[in-house]
Amino acid sequence: MHADVENVRVQAAHQNGPPAPMAFVSFVPVAAAAESLPALSRAPASSGRAPLGRSGTDQQFSLPTAAAIAALAAGSAAVSRPNGTRLRIQRAAVGRRGGLLGGLAVAAAAARPKPANAAEKLTKQTAEKVQADIEQIIKADPNKGPTLVRLAWHSCGSYDKVSKTGGSGPGTIRFKEELAHGGNAGLDKAVAWLEPVKQSNPSISYADLYTLAGVASIKALGGPDVPWRAGRVDSVSPSDVTPDGRLPNASNGSAKKDVDHLRDVFYRMGFNDQEIVALSGAHALGRCHADASGFVGPWTPTPTTFNNLYFKLLKNSQWEEGCIKGETCKNPQYRNVDTQQFMMLPTDIALLKDPSFSKYVDLYADDQKVFFKDFSKAFSTLLELGTKDLYTVV
Ligand code: HEM
C-alpha cells in the first residue's frame, strides 16, 4: 500500500512567469482521478528538478510515502521536495464523511497502474492551432516574425554539448533570470506575445511553443519547412537557467576575435563552420534595435521575407564602419557604402574574413535553394539541442 501511494498527481500552480515558491498538489475525486488523468512523466525521487508533464500543467512526483500518507490523512500539508523546496498538498473533493477512508481511496485510484510512458502527447490539431495563432500574430505585424525567430534561437543557444546543459529543452527563457542575460535584450516582448497563445493552447509546453514559433515564423515569412518535433518538458525552476555569456557577442574587438568567438560559441553547441554560416543567414530577417542590442538597422531591404539576400549583400556590397543613414548606433557596426541603408554586425563581416566561412557565404549567395535546405537542417538541429524523448506530432 505504501508503495502504491507514492505516485500522486500534481498540479503545478506556477506556470506563468517565474514559479511561485510553492507548487500545489491536488488529490482529485476518485472516479475522475482514475479515468480522466493523462498519465504523466514521473520524476525520480532523487531528481533535483521537478519536470512538468506534457501539458505544462500536470506532473507526477514521487513523494516520500510517509509524507504522502500523512498528507492524505491531514487533508492538507506541506511536504519537502527532493530539491529542498516544499510542496503544499491539498486533499480536494474528498467528501466530508470520507475522511481517511476517502483519502485512501484516492490513493488507490492514484496508484492504478499507468503505462510507463503515457504522457499526454501534443496532438497535430493543437500543433496546427498553435501555428495558426502564431501566423495571426505575424499577419497583424510582420515585424514580430523575425523577433520570434530570434526568441526560438536564443531559447536553444545556451546549449553546451559537454555538460549537456541549456538548450531549448527546459523552456527557461521565460524566466526573468534568463531574459536578463545581455544577449536576450528585447526578447521579453516576444515572450509576452506568445503568452496568449499558451493560454489558449495550454497543452503545449513553453519550450515547444518557443521553438514552434520559430518554425512557424520562418514559414510565414517565406522560408523553408523546418522539421520540428514536440515533447520538450518545461523546467519549473529558474535554477535551471544557465549562466549568462553563452550566446554570441556581435562585436569582439577584431575580425580574428569575431571568427574565433563564433567558433567557440557554435562549436560548443555542436555545430560546424557550414552550419554557422547557414544559421547566420537568418539575418535576412529583422533588424537591430537601439533599445535592445544597441546596434541599429536591417540587414536587407526585405526584413520580413526569408531569402538569401543577406548573403548576396554581404558578398557583393562594400562595407564600411558606421551607422546606417540617419541613425545613431551605440556599438561598432558596418553599413553598405553605396546607400548606407543596410547594416552588418562585426560577426557578420567576420564570415568574409575566414576562408572556411566565406566559401559558404559564396555558396548561399549564389544558390538560395541550397541555403534553404542547409538552413532548414541546421535550424531543426538547433531547436532540438538540450532535449530528449521528442516525438513527431501525428
Ligand atoms: C552568429 C552569431 C549571431 C550574433 C552575434 C547575432 C546577433 C544579433 C543581434 C545583435 C541582433 C539584434 C537584436 C536587436 O537589437 O533586436 C540580432 C537579431 C536577430 N538575429 Fe541574430 N545573431 C547571431 C546569430 C543568429 C542566428 C543563429 C539566428 C537564427 C537562426 C539569428 C536570428 C536573428 C534574427 C531573426 C534577428 C532579428 C530580430 C528582430 O528583428 O527583432 N541570429 N542578432
Side-chain angles (χ1 to χ4, degrees):
M1 162 68 79
H2 283 193
D4 286 345
V5 190
E6 275 189 31
N7 294 320
V8 293
R9 179 172 158 81
V10 174
Q11 283 196 320
H14 50 223
Q15 291 312 294
N16 301 325
M22 280 198 175
F24 291 88
V25 181
S26 297
F27 288 92
V28 295
V30 174
E35 303 309 333
S36 71
L37 301 188
L40 297 154
S41 62
R42 174 178 172 169
S46 60
S47 160
R49 184 189 299 181
L52 284 180
R54 188 80 59 223
S55 69
T57 56
D58 301 315
Q59 58 188 301
Q60 281 185 313
F61 287 110
S62 297
L63 293 177
T65 302
I69 290 283
L72 280 168
S76 174
V79 176
S80 290
R81 279 190 354 209
N83 64 2
T85 56
R86 287 168 71 74
L87 286 174
R88 172 161 303 206
I89 303 210
Q90 295 175 322
R91 191 185 63 211
V94 174
R96 261 194 190 176
R97 282 178 300 145
L100 181 59
L101 198 60
L104 294 175
V106 170
R112 274 198 195 167
K114 300 177 181 82
N117 182 19
E120 185 192 0
K121 292 204 163 172
L122 190 71
T123 62
K124 191 166 185 230
Q125 198 185 13
T126 304
E128 285 175 354
K129 166 74 167 40
V130 168
Q131 278 176 282
D133 288 354
I134 293 162
E135 279 163 26
Q136 280 309 312
I137 293 175
I138 296 170
K139 210 168 161 197
D141 181 356
N143 290 309
K144 288 185 176 171
T147 314
L148 291 174
V149 173
R150 182 171 167 243
L151 173 68
W153 125 244
H154 283 215
S155 78
C156 314
S158 55
Y159 187 64
D160 172 30
K161 70 176 182 188
V162 174
S163 63
K164 297 199 180 343
T165 54
S168 72
T172 49
I173 201 163
R174 74 191 190 282
F175 292 131
K176 67 179 185 327
E177 288 81 354
E178 188 160 333
L179 285 170
H181 288 179
N184 287 332
L187 289 180
D188 52 339
K189 283 185 285 188
V191 165
W193 299 335
L194 291 178
E195 188 58 32
V197 181
K198 167 70 176 167
Q199 294 307 319
S200 58
N201 304 278
S203 66
I204 192 166
S205 67
Y206 282 102
D208 277 350
L209 175 61
Y210 298 148
T211 51
L212 187 54
V215 170
S217 301
I218 293 286
K219 190 66 193 161
L221 300 171
D225 288 321
V226 177
W228 179 84
R229 296 190 298 165
R232 294 163 191 77
V233 179
D234 289 332
S235 158
V236 293
S237 170
S239 64
D240 289 321
V241 171
T242 50
D244 195 359
R246 292 193 177 185
L247 292 166
N249 292 321
S251 176
N252 302 279
S254 72
K256 165 89 174 69
K257 285 181 184 162
D258 289 330
V259 165
D260 291 348
H261 177 70
L262 285 178
R263 290 207 169 99
D264 284 348
V265 169
F266 283 89
Y267 287 8
R268 189 206 66 226
M269 290 180 238
F271 289 111
N272 60 30
D273 289 352
Q274 173 257 316
E275 291 164 321
I276 293 171
V277 180
L279 287 170
S280 297
H283 285 167
L285 294 175
R287 59 181 62 241
C288 294
H289 302 86
D291 59 354
S293 62
F295 298 96
V296 178
W299 287 266
T300 75
T302 54
T304 55
T305 304
F306 192 86
N307 53 31
N308 69 339
L309 268 190
Y310 164 83
F311 294 113
K312 281 186 185 298
L313 285 170
L314 184 58
K315 178 181 172 186
N316 298 322
S317 300
Q318 278 209 302
W319 297 96
E320 64 184 9
E321 280 186 44
C323 308
I324 61 166
K325 203 189 254 172
E327 297 283 354
T328 313
C329 50
K330 283 187 266 180
N331 296 321
Q333 63 177 67
Y334 291 80
R335 64 184 174 212
N336 64 323
V337 172
D338 48 359
T339 69
Q340 302 187 352
Q341 287 177 317
F342 311 116
M343 61 91 56
M344 288 285 162
L345 298 165
T347 41
D348 297 314
I349 296 292
L351 300 180
L352 297 171
K353 309 284 182 190
D354 181 277
S356 171
F357 285 147
S358 65
K359 70 178 180 205
Y360 295 109
V361 174
D362 291 345
L363 175 67
Y364 299 143
D366 293 344
D367 193 335
Q368 178 165 284
K369 220 169 140 195
V370 178
F371 165 52
F372 274 29
K373 183 171 75 56
D374 288 357
F375 177 84
S376 170
K377 190 159 177 284
F379 195 54
S380 185
T381 302
L382 175 71
L383 299 182
E384 297 200 354
L385 297 180
T387 63
K388 60 176 184 173
D389 302 332
L390 298 187
Y391 55 88
T392 303
V393 175
V394 282

